[in-house]
Amino acid sequence: MALAKLKSDTTEARLAGVTLPTGAAWANAARADAMARVREMGLPTKRDEYWKYTDPTTLTDAAAGKAALFHNDEAALFDAVDRVRVVFVDGVFDAEASDDLAAEGLEIERLADAMAADIHWAKDIYGVLEARGQKPVPRTLAALNTAMATDGVVIRATAKAAKPVNLIYLHRDETSDAVLHNLVKVEAGAEVTLLETGPAAARFSKLLEVDVADGGTFHHVRAQGRDHERRAVTHCFARIAAESTFKSFTLTFNGVLTRNECVLEIIGDDATAHVAGICVGDGKDFHHDDTVFITHDAVNCESRQVFKKVLRNGATGVFQGKILVKEGAQKTDGYQISQSLLLDDDSQFLAKPELEIYADDVACSHGSTSGAIDETALFYLRSRGVSHDDARNLLTLSFLAEALEEIADESLAEDLRDRLEGWLARHR
């Protein structure tokens, strides 16, 4: 009873004075349904099973905390890539800074325009995949995003896209509280790459729903950062059909609190789903949480979860990953690995790996480790003239290599590798 009262009070405090956005009839219904889910489930507290390692208070407070702006003179990430840039400033679409949204093999619109149309393909996705992902674990902050979001993009890939789409999130207001909701529909046989970069806001809620049809391919590469005081909660819900491919990679720098949730549902035979991530954290105020749930509900499918964290000076990393193999999902190949490299005695890594299997012809495995730099390898490099700091950085990059290899495009992986080297050089 005490927990129910706490959740109820937290929810009502957050929703006090909230008015739902309006649009077409279907959009209004989707938002109302999402708000009903929020009230039914209640916003999370630290006493919820999947929030016991991460305190959600600053994500559920009615007002966002202040986050100082971060300035750096580095070139924009993926600046050398020929891409379609879609820019948001503190959660609001910036048409002048964005490229022309017309692109070969793609249809790109602003979410607000799609939600105002009486007939739109977004009706079959907006809030639908999020609602499917609410069981068996409630994800109330995702439902709150569906209810409240007014901006974002909707992307429909009709063929192999000529260029990737780069969503660029700029943070310019120290108290901004941004809510973005993006949709991607990959038609049968089509292919698209989605890039996401930037800190976005002082507090950021972002939800991505992806529907990959038979034979479709979706690549996702995301870099979160670099604001030191940023707080963010992100969700990705995907439905993956037969013979299709879904691959997502996230690199996280800095931030006070980051919670990334990924919920994938494999519904078609011979499909592939990979989700991977790297975070590098420095300082006792750094807290990073990856929570993943992959459901196998088809035959002869493959999933991979590869997560690596480098933590120092009291930083905290969390991984909660689950593979659910339903009855009849024979010949499933599920792989999960979560590892942390602790560069001092003050940092900590908290892991909860899970397998739940109801089929008998499967190959599923999970592993989780925490450790320090290999002193033998460090001695070997130093004995050959490599400085202590350079040797440690080389071993750290080697530790992270398995996750970077999950990025299909080597040029994108190389760009992120360069950023990692720069971060390690600055945090010697």
Side-chain angles (χ1 to χ4, degrees):
M1 292 294 292
L3 178 57
K5 179 68 163 57
L6 177 62
K7 292 176 72 69
S8 176
D9 290 347
T10 300
T11 303
E12 292 309 315
R14 176 68 180 89
L15 299 183
V18 170
T19 302
L20 294 183
T22 58
W26 67 267
N28 294 340
R31 287 171 172 144
D33 288 347
M35 185 57 76
R37 290 195 292 277
V38 173
R39 294 188 182 279
E40 178 185 358
M41 296 182 292
L43 290 173
T45 72
K46 204 170 187 299
R47 294 175 63 182
D48 286 78
E49 174 65 20
Y50 281 88
W51 285 92
K52 66 181 181 181
Y53 298 136
T54 301
D55 188 349
T57 302
T58 56
L59 302 174
T60 59
D61 283 343
K66 184 177 180 180
L69 303 182
F70 178 84
H71 301 284
N72 71 85
D73 55 3
E74 290 182 307
L77 192 61
F78 307 133
D79 204 33
V81 177
D82 185 16
R83 67 211 192 278
V84 180
R85 299 180 309 120
V86 184
V87 180
F88 294 87
V89 179
D90 291 309
V92 179
F93 176 67
D94 187 337
E96 292 187 2
S98 300
D99 293 334
D100 183 355
L101 299 186
E104 184 181 344
L106 294 173
E107 298 171 3
I108 307 173
E109 298 177 66
R110 187 177 178 182
L111 177 71
D113 295 333
M115 299 288 273
D118 290 332
I119 300 175
H120 200 283
W121 59 261
K123 176 183 177 181
D124 297 327
I125 299 178
Y126 187 86
V128 174
L129 304 189
E130 172 259 300
R132 290 172 65 96
Q134 293 293 350
K135 294 180 179 180
V137 179
R139 306 178 194 278
T140 317
L141 289 173
L144 184 63
N145 179 293
T146 299
M148 297 179 60
T150 59
D151 222 334
V153 293
V154 297
I155 301 170
R156 180 168 171 256
T158 57
K160 183 172 182 178
K163 299 179 182 180
V165 179
N166 187 186
L167 307 184
I168 301 171
Y169 306 125
L170 303 180
H171 174 205
R172 292 177 179 165
D173 182 344
E174 291 186 337
T175 59
S176 56
D177 192 6
V179 180
L180 290 178
H181 196 117
N182 303 319
L183 306 179
V184 178
K185 182 177 178 62
V186 183
E187 299 285 8
E191 180 176 345
V192 64
T193 297
L194 178 67
L195 309 176
E196 295 186 276
T197 55
R203 181 170 71 177
F204 186 35
S205 169
K206 194 266 297 180
L207 195 154
L208 171 66
E209 294 182 282
V210 184
D211 191 20
V212 188
D214 293 353
T217 300
F218 175 75
H219 291 287
H220 178 220
V221 180
R222 171 174 61 169
Q224 297 173 306
R226 300 259 308 283
D227 290 21
H228 289 278
E229 299 177 4
R230 162 188 54 83
R231 291 174 173 83
V233 57
T234 75
H235 294 85
C236 175
F237 296 88
R239 180 169 54 192
I240 304 160
E243 298 180 358
S244 61
T245 299
F246 174 101
K247 288 192 174 183
S248 177
F249 175 89
T250 299
L251 173 62
T252 304
F253 296 103
N254 303 345
V256 173
L257 171 62
T258 305
R259 164 90 166 202
N260 295 326
E261 296 198 29
C262 186
V263 183
L264 309 181
E265 184 181 13
I266 304 175
I267 62 171
D269 297 346
D270 303 303
T272 300
H274 290 197
V275 57
I278 289 173
C279 92
V280 287
D282 187 358
K284 62 182 178 58
D285 293 330
F286 178 89
H287 186 104
H288 185 276
D289 181 336
D290 285 304
T291 295
V292 182
F293 198 114
I294 298 180
T295 299
H296 284 262
D297 197 12
V299 175
N300 198 37
C301 296
E302 173 190 286
S303 70
R304 288 175 60 87
Q305 301 174 40
V306 181
F307 287 86
K308 305 284 185 116
K309 300 181 190 292
V310 177
L311 307 168
R312 55 178 286 167
N313 293 330
T316 298
V318 177
F319 174 79
Q320 301 178 106
K322 183 165 185 174
I323 300 172
L324 170 62
V325 181
K326 289 191 173 182
E327 186 176 356
Q330 305 293 356
K331 300 190 182 302
T332 288
D333 181 0
Y335 173 77
Q336 179 194 97
I337 187 72
S338 60
Q339 296 178 313
S340 70
L341 184 62
L342 306 179
L343 299 183
D344 56 46
D345 295 332
D346 298 323
S347 300
Q348 63 175 334
F349 177 58
L350 307 168
K352 183 184 179 185
E354 297 179 88
L355 298 178
E356 187 174 345
I357 301 171
Y358 297 98
D360 54 15
D361 184 10
V362 303
C364 293
S365 64
H366 67 71
S368 183
T369 63
S370 293
I373 289 285
D374 186 331
E375 292 297 331
T376 301
L378 185 62
F379 175 80
Y380 176 86
L381 290 172
R382 296 205 64 195
S383 68
R384 278 148 182 78
V386 181
S387 71
H388 180 275
D389 287 338
D390 287 344
R392 194 160 87 154
N393 289 353
L394 284 170
L395 293 173
T396 301
L397 289 170
S398 176
F399 166 76
L400 298 173
E402 182 183 5
L404 281 170
E405 289 170 0
E406 290 295 314
I407 303 173
D409 188 321
E410 179 55 36
S411 64
L412 298 179
E414 188 61 32
D415 205 345
L416 294 180
R417 190 177 293 110
D418 290 343
R419 298 306 168 107
L420 280 168
E421 289 181 358
W423 187 92
L424 291 170
R426 291 190 299 272
H427 293 75
R428 290 182 182 272

